[in-house]
Amino acid sequence: MTTPAPTPFGTRLRRAMDERGPLCVGIDPHASLLADWGLGDDVAGLERFTRTVVDALAGRVAVLKPQSAFFERFGSRGIAVLERAVADARDAGALVLMDAKRGDIGSTMAAYAAAYLDPTSPLFSDAVTVSPYLGFGSLRPALDAARASGAGVFVLALTSNPEGAEVQHAARPDGTTVAASVLAHLKAENAEEAARGALGSYGAVVGATLGATADRIGAELAIDGPLLAPGIGAQGATPADLPQVFGAAVRNVVPSVSRGVLKYGPDASALVEAAARMADDVRAVAE
C-alpha cells in the first residue's frame, strides 16, 4: 500500500493562518524574562515558563517559535524541555517553527536537517530557520528533507538586526543584492506549489523594522511563500507597519512577536489576551 504524500507545510500554514490568525509567538526564555516571571534561571524555571506558554497558546495561535539557544544553554536537560514543548505544541494544533538558524555544508547540513526535519527525530518541527550565507546551495539537504517530510524552511534574507545590512544589502557583480538573490532562489523553490495555487513551503525571514528601506525591496518579496516578520514589539515595529514593508505580499506575512506577548506572563489568561489582541491587529492590516 502506497503511503500518501504529506501535506506540504505551506498548505498547513495557510490553513492555520486562516483559522487562527497570522501570528507567530516566540518562546524565548531569556534569563531576564524568567526573572520577570519570578522564576529561577535554571531548568525548573525553563520548564515552568515553557509549559505555561505552550499550555496557554498552542491551542490558539497559528505558530509557536521556540528559540533553540535558550534551551541549549541548559544542556541535555534543556533539550529535553524543548523536545516536550515541540510535541505538546504540535499535539495542541500549533505549527512549530524551530528557530535554530542552522547553516553549514554537506553532511553537517544534512545532520541538521535530520535533527529538525526528519519525522523520526524527537525535535521534528513543522519548519526550521536556516542561514544561507555559505551559499544558497548549501541549504539543499534541508530543502530536500523539508520537501520529503512536508515541512518548511525559513531562510534569513533581510533580518531585523541593523548589522545584517552589511551582508544582505551587498551587491553581487551583476548588481543584484545578496538578499534579492536569496529571495529569487526561494521563489524558484516555491514554483511547484505556486503552480497549484498553493502557498509555498519555503519562506524568507524579513524584518518588520525595514520600513525605511521598503522601496528597495518591492516585488522581490513576491516569493510565493511565507514571510516571517520579526521585529514587532520590543524592536519597535507594529502591525500597522506591515503594509508599508510588505506591500501586496502582506497576506503571506507571519508576524513574529515574543516579548510583546511574553511580558504578560506568568498569568496564562493575560498571555492569551495579549496574543489575541496582537492577532486581531495583524489580521486587520492583512485583510
Side-chain angles (χ1 to χ4, degrees), residues 21-143:
L23 184 66
C24 168
V25 177
I27 305 178
D28 295 5
H30 300 264
S32 59
L33 193 52
L34 293 175
D36 290 344
W37 279 37
L39 300 172
D41 187 22
D42 51 27
V43 174
L46 175 75
E47 184 170 21
R48 177 71 177 273
F49 177 95
T50 305
R51 285 195 184 183
T52 300
V53 175
V54 171
D55 289 347
L57 301 180
R60 294 174 171 85
V61 302
V63 183
L64 285 177
K65 181 175 68 66
Q67 169 48 259
S68 182
F70 293 116
F71 297 84
E72 294 173 31
R73 69 192 184 101
F74 292 105
S76 61
R77 293 180 298 163
I79 296 299
V81 174
L82 180 59
E83 290 176 1
R84 176 167 179 175
V86 170
D88 289 350
R90 298 187 77 228
D91 285 346
L95 299 177
V96 173
L97 168 56
M98 183 65 71
D99 195 356
K101 298 184 180 70
R102 299 303 193 233
D104 214 307
I105 59 173
S107 59
T108 308
M109 191 67 231
Y112 284 138
Y116 302 111
L117 301 171
D118 184 333
T120 65
S121 169
L123 286 171
F124 175 64
S125 303
D126 295 283
V128 65
T129 57
V130 294
S131 172
Y133 298 112
L134 288 174
F136 193 88
S138 68
L139 301 180
R140 180 52 53 195
L143 297 168

